[in-house]
Amino acid sequence: MALIEIRGLTKTFRGRGQGPVEALTGVDLSVDEGEIFGVIGLSGAGKSTLIRCINLLERPTSGSVVVGGRDLAGLSRKELLAFRRGMGMIFQSFNLLSSRTVRGNVAFPLEVAGAPRAEVEKKVGALLEMVGLSDKEGSYPAQLSGGQKQRVGIARALANAPKILLCDEATSALDPQNTGAILRLIERLKNQLGLTVVLITHEMKVITEICDRVAVMESGRIVETGRVIDVFAQPRHPSSRSFVEVERTSRDEYFRNSYKPRGRLVKFYYVGDVVAEPLVNALIRLYDVRVNILQANIDNINGTAFGTMLVDLSGDPGSVSQAMDFMRESKLRLEVLETSAEAGSEAGPGTTRDGADGGGDGVSSVRKQSNDNQGGPG
Amino acid sequence: MMLTANQLIMLKTSSLQSLYMVAFSTLLTTVLGVPLGVLVVVTRPGQILESKLAYRIAGFFINATRSIPFPIFIVFVIPLTRFLVGTAIGSTAVIVPLTLAAVVFMARLTETALLEVPFGLIEAAQAVGASRRQIVRHVMLPEAMPGLIMSVTITVITLISYSAMAGAVGGGGLGDFAIRYGYQRYQTDVMWVTVVMLLIVVQGVQLAGDHLVRRFSRR
Ligand SMILES: Nc1ncnc2c1ncn2[C@@H]1O[C@H](COP(=O)(O)OP(=O)(O)OP(=O)(O)O)[C@@H](O)[C@H]1O
Ligand SMILES: [Mg+2]
């Protein structure tokens, strides 16, 4: 059984004036021990409500939340307080006590748990060292940068040695550099302390950088769940696609609108080891086709390479479709974005029929893969 | 501006009476008013001890008390004063209406100060398993400290001014002295001396309060 099991979770807020708001609708989710699980969604999708149901900062309207085999609904008030000590949480706005120093903030959960003073002293020192803030222990939050504040937040969240860390938009208030640093810190601490992390965000970058799995939320529902690499490489739901492709589709649009393909405008998607293989080279050598690479990109998604390449594939129609089959056999996913008038009007990844090709020597304003058209079909 | 020896003795007695009334009612007001303010905040909708009933009752009590003008209030609570102090006359007796009126005033100021504490801090404390009592003691009150000190300062100054009306029930004090000698017997000197004294005291209280607020502000 997963460490966190959420079944049929619904949360309805009594609306303030404008009627009830259904923030969560039948959410099912399971988070395995030791993973970093990301939840992505637009503002108002219900991400915060979802994560806050995991430590009962928000009471579910219906459905169950089971953590480590315990159904939270059955906890008494006292048990809930003890349960929450086994779970840390960090926030977008840090939520540090302004009246306490860095040391005092990190000591807070330990004091609340009734730890003896000497132990508090010792643990706080170790925690501050862990997040790299030993030199700031006497500072007040107002004197810290955003990145430093979040480090204090992390140290505080981990003070009672929890097994689970909940991150509610923990990096949304930070600049890209600090975002990266905080994410790496979370990843390191996860490995070091054997944490399970649930994080929510509206940035795909955060998901691809450290998450193992991701759930995409839209209007209170989870519309897609899967390994990050899978969702990123082949998003199924329109909402996931928009997160994955904001940047990429805009580039595709550019080529679609302002570039006239000689043959077919094809997009290749490749994942993992395929990246290392000289496929384009093979393509040119084996088939009588011209390959004009318009754009190519490789992302590192939590350790796995994920690449996309936009090419204009032209030449003898038979050769072009053979070339496309070859790429498919090589475990690439293809998507035909556009077909030139001469190359036929059909489109779609499954196309094999082709019209005539205009030929020419493929000069492009972007980048050109020169080829010397040797060898016939294999 | 010269006061007679007799007047000086009266001035001294009045000052001590004022000090006595204000000091005691400040103490009682703080001890009772802050918890009442806390109660009003934590029982609010969405707060950590949400309770419509408690919130409404406390709110009504505060508003009702605040709506009665102080001189009338003194008379109004005479039965209670008799019950608590044994008499309705004198400095000690005046402490009862003074405290009651100031407690609700203080409660409202406390409420305002506590509501300034971002709810996120309370949630962060809940997330680490803090109990409601711990949240009030270790989060809400310390975080609102500058605001609370400001509230006490305002309350003390209000008490000084209210205590001037203590003469109505034989409570004495500087205000009473100024009215009886300075106003009713046309001894302008006496009035000026007391006014200046009050001014200095009020200024002093404000300065001390501001200083403490600065010391406790970390935001
Ligand atoms: N306490 C509340 N009372 C009423 N409505 C609420 C409350 N909290 C959240 N909502 C509503 O529930 C919906 C989901 O909110 P939630 O905060 O979970 O979204 P989110 O995905 O975290 O968005 P964001 O990225 O802006 O933080 C929104 O429509 C919001 O207005
Ligand atoms: Mg949110």
Side-chain angles (χ1 to χ4, degrees), chain A residues 14 52 55 57 77 81 84-85 87 89 91 95-100 108-109 111-113 140 142 156 160, chain B residues 48 50 52 118-121 123-132 134-135 138-139 142-143 216 218-219:
Chain A
R14 279 174 282 136
R52 291 155 54 84
N55 62 0
L57 281 183
R77 183 148 197 102
L81 297 186
R84 280 175 175 160
R85 280 171 205 152
M87 214 181 266
M89 188 168 195
F91 306 85
N95 292 344
L96 302 179
L97 297 170
S98 67
S99 57
R100 288 183 173 225
F108 180 74
E111 290 169 10
V112 159
Y140 284 88
R156 175 175 68 179
N160 280 318
Chain B
I48 56 175
E50 181 171 346
K52 265 207 178 88
F119 196 65
L121 298 194
E123 296 199 316
Q126 286 179 317
V128 298
S131 66
R132 290 179 287 211
Q134 286 172 323
I135 289 172
H138 301 302
V139 178
E143 285 294 306
F216 279 89
R218 300 289 184 195
R219 269 182 228 186

Side-chain angles (χ1 to χ4, degrees), chain B residues 103-139:
Chain B
V103 158
V104 293
F105 183 62
M106 182 72 201
R108 280 292 183 225
L109 293 174
T110 302
E111 182 187 16
T112 311
L114 292 177
L115 287 176
E116 288 286 307
V117 178
F119 196 65
L121 298 194
I122 292 164
E123 296 199 316
Q126 286 179 317
V128 298
S131 66
R132 290 179 287 211
R133 177 190 299 269
Q134 286 172 323
I135 289 172
V136 170
R137 281 198 46 184
H138 301 302
V139 178

Side-chain angles (χ1 to χ4, degrees), chain A residues 6-208:
Chain A
I6 297 174
R7 288 286 159 261
L9 182 63
T10 299
K11 173 73 188 182
T12 310
F13 289 105
R14 279 174 282 136
R16 301 183 189 113
Q18 69 285 64
V21 180
E22 195 153 289
L24 295 175
T25 312
V27 170
D28 296 322
L29 190 74
S30 40
V31 178
D32 295 324
E33 186 158 4
E35 74 174 332
I36 302 189
F37 192 97
V39 178
I40 189 167
L42 295 174
S43 185
K47 309 179 297 287
S48 296
T49 310
L50 174 61
I51 203 170
R52 291 155 54 84
C53 281
I54 299 176
N55 62 0
L56 286 202
L57 281 183
E58 218 70 83
R59 286 264 166 196
T61 306
S62 67
S64 71
V65 180
V66 178
V67 178
R70 290 210 67 173
D71 190 334
L72 302 197
L75 295 179
S76 70
R77 183 148 197 102
K78 227 186 179 139
E79 287 171 327
L80 175 62
L81 297 186
F83 163 80
R84 280 175 175 160
R85 280 171 205 152
M87 214 181 266
M89 188 168 195
I90 54 177
F91 306 85
Q92 175 172 4
S93 47
F94 319 119
N95 292 344
L96 302 179
L97 297 170
S98 67
S99 57
R100 288 183 173 225
T101 60
V102 165
R103 173 168 275 276
N105 269 282
V106 179
F108 180 74
L110 295 161
E111 290 169 10
V112 159
R117 181 162 255 154
E119 192 189 319
V120 173
E121 292 293 303
K122 214 176 87 196
K123 281 192 176 164
V124 171
L127 286 158
L128 288 176
E129 195 152 320
M130 206 162 71
V131 299
L133 273 184
S134 301
D135 54 328
K136 294 281 180 199
E137 63 167 4
S139 305
Y140 284 88
Q143 302 164 320
L144 301 179
S145 73
Q148 291 169 333
K149 282 182 197 165
Q150 198 56 290
R151 283 168 193 274
V152 180
I154 291 172
R156 175 175 68 179
L158 298 178
N160 280 318
K163 296 309 279 176
I164 298 173
L165 178 65
L166 307 175
C167 313
D168 187 347
E169 302 263 9
T171 57
S172 297
L174 304 178
D175 61 41
Q177 211 167 344
N178 274 305
T179 296
I182 292 294
L183 291 178
R184 281 191 295 280
L185 177 64
I186 292 174
E187 192 172 32
R188 175 164 69 75
L189 294 174
K190 179 223 128 179
N191 291 328
Q192 201 173 317
L193 307 170
L195 299 171
T196 302
V197 181
V198 180
L199 73 81
I200 68 173
T201 180
H202 57 261
E203 294 172 293
M204 196 64 198
K205 189 177 47 138
V206 171
I207 301 282
T208 56

Side-chain angles (χ1 to χ4, degrees), chain B residues 55-74:
Chain B
Y55 179 65
R56 291 239 173 99
I57 292 176
F60 175 78
F61 170 69
I62 291 171
N63 289 342
T65 307
R66 290 199 64 194
S67 62
I68 306 171
F70 188 63
I72 301 171
F73 188 73
I74 297 178

Side-chain angles (χ1 to χ4, degrees), chain B residues 29 33-34 36-37 62-63 65-66 98-112 150-159 162:
Chain B
T29 299
V34 172
L36 182 59
I62 291 171
N63 289 342
T65 307
R66 290 199 64 194
L98 269 183
T99 302
L100 279 177
V103 158
V104 293
F105 183 62
M106 182 72 201
R108 280 292 183 225
L109 293 174
T110 302
E111 182 187 16
T112 311
M150 220 180 292
S151 306
V152 173
T153 310
I154 297 170
T155 305
V156 172
I157 292 170
T158 306
L159 280 169
Y162 276 11

